[in-house]
Amino acid sequence: MPHVEGVAHHVVETSRLRMHTAQAGAGEPALLLHGWPQHWYAWRRVIPLLAPHHRVICPDLRGFGWSDAPRSGYGTADLVEDLIALLDALSLERVLVIGHDLGGRLGFHLSLRAPDRVRAHLALNAMHPFWSPRCVVPQAWREWWTPFVETPVVGRTVLRRVPLFTRWLVRLGSPSPQTRPQVAVEEYLAALREPARGRAAEAVQRRFPYRELVPTLLGRYRSTRLTVPTLMLNGTRDFALSVTELGGYEAYADNLRVELVDAGHFLPEQCPQRVAEAAVALAAE
């Protein structure tokens, strides 16, 4: 288990699975949801900045880090139900949610599924669910790398046995060499070498494009309304998500705004101070 000063580790028995959490601080709870293919350690630079203001809870999502990695349950709705079960097990009625990448997507869907459980949501380099095909389709080329990690058997093999690929993705997502999370990448790779976790990381990537992407593009969520106060913080140099894709939410959200940062994909690791300041400000609104 990698070390972060002031962090305590707990395995929480929920009604759905055992989830590992890294926790620090005290006060209003903040639930920090990591991206793909990471685990709680992605928040190591944010935790010390948030802990003076919040009880910080960083779970490992299903299949990642030190949480259970069953063979099924990797759809967005399943992962959201895991989070609700975690909140129930921790007796948390309402939390500030901070999600990066995959975690940001889950934060949006948690806000739609159980808005009474989310005080506010800070989404980092993540897309809202009200996609506009006019904005998204021209940027589809950015997903060229996904077949290498979502194709059955191929994905888990690449993730477990071709670490250079994952390291290369991290370099793409970290334009500045000074902010590349090289030590953290080795921690993520070590976890992915476990067969169950390589399979889980592949399953998460496969489930969304093959089962969820087309219905989302066709307006699956446009009959719902986002009422949770939400801030999308996106890097202008994100290789995976262009700022031109971020529109289309205006008619479906009561209080959603977008702010841009001169950074790449891994905002929690590249500009933790900016992330922490945005989270504290959002919680105070």
Side-chain angles (χ1 to χ4, degrees):
M1 185 75 67
H3 175 73
V4 174
E5 190 67 32
V7 169
H9 297 274
H10 305 274
V11 174
V12 181
E13 296 277 355
T14 78
S15 59
R16 294 173 59 83
L17 75 165
R18 291 178 300 173
M19 298 186 73
H20 165 259
T21 65
Q23 302 188 32
E28 180 187 358
L31 187 69
L32 279 58
L33 307 176
H34 64 79
W36 183 95
Q38 301 169 300
H39 48 63
W40 74 270
Y41 196 56
W43 300 107
R44 69 197 179 283
R45 293 177 176 169
V46 176
I47 292 171
L49 302 174
L50 273 185
H53 308 277
H54 292 275
R55 176 189 174 190
V56 179
I57 304 163
C58 307
D60 288 334
L61 300 174
R62 173 184 294 241
F64 294 91
W66 287 264
S67 290
D68 282 352
R71 287 187 169 272
S72 61
Y74 293 98
T76 298
D78 294 307
L79 297 174
V80 167
E81 292 302 321
D82 289 346
L83 297 177
I84 294 174
L86 176 64
L87 296 182
D88 290 342
L90 294 174
S91 300
L92 298 175
E93 291 296 324
R94 204 161 176 242
V95 296
L96 169 68
V97 175
I98 306 169
H100 169 249
D101 184 80
L102 167 64
R105 186 173 89 222
L106 297 183
F108 274 112
H109 287 270
L110 177 61
S111 296
L112 293 175
R113 163 71 176 79
D116 56 316
R117 309 298 294 270
V118 183
R119 174 171 179 174
H121 175 211
L122 175 59
L124 309 172
N125 290 86
M127 186 62 172
H128 59 75
F130 310 110
W131 293 16
S132 165
R134 178 177 57 83
C135 297
V136 172
V137 171
Q139 300 295 326
W141 62 270
R142 293 177 180 274
E143 304 302 316
W144 62 266
W145 57 275
T146 57
F148 295 99
V149 294
E150 70 190 16
T151 304
V153 182
V154 173
R156 71 193 71 172
T157 302
V158 169
L159 291 166
R160 292 185 59 221
R161 302 188 184 280
V162 191
L164 285 176
F165 185 83
T166 302
R167 294 189 186 109
W168 185 59
L169 284 179
V170 171
R171 285 197 295 272
L172 285 178
S174 308
S176 172
Q178 291 77 20
T179 61
R180 285 176 188 161
Q182 297 184 16
V183 174
V185 172
E186 300 309 312
E187 295 289 350
Y188 308 143
L189 288 171
L192 288 170
R193 289 189 188 101
E194 297 182 24
R197 304 195 184 283
R199 184 181 66 240
E202 174 198 287
V204 168
Q205 282 291 345
R206 182 174 66 251
R207 175 79 186 203
F208 183 73
Y210 288 94
R211 299 285 186 89
E212 303 176 21
L213 178 59
V214 171
T216 300
L217 282 171
L218 293 178
R220 177 179 183 179
Y221 297 101
R222 292 177 194 162
S223 61
T224 61
R225 189 157 194 86
L226 181 66
T227 59
V228 172
T230 303
L231 171 61
M232 293 172 62
L233 200 61
N234 289 74
T236 56
R237 293 186 285 167
D238 187 347
F239 81 100
L241 180 62
S242 168
V243 297
T244 62
E245 299 177 71
L246 304 180
Y249 62 84
E250 292 82 359
Y252 310 102
D254 292 342
N255 185 3
L256 191 159
R257 65 185 190 274
V258 177
E259 294 183 9
L260 302 179
V261 183
D262 181 21
H265 183 71
F266 298 98
L267 291 189
E269 298 175 299
Q270 293 171 17
C271 43
Q273 188 71 42
R274 180 70 180 86
V275 170
E277 290 172 354
V280 171
L282 186 60
E285 291 181 0

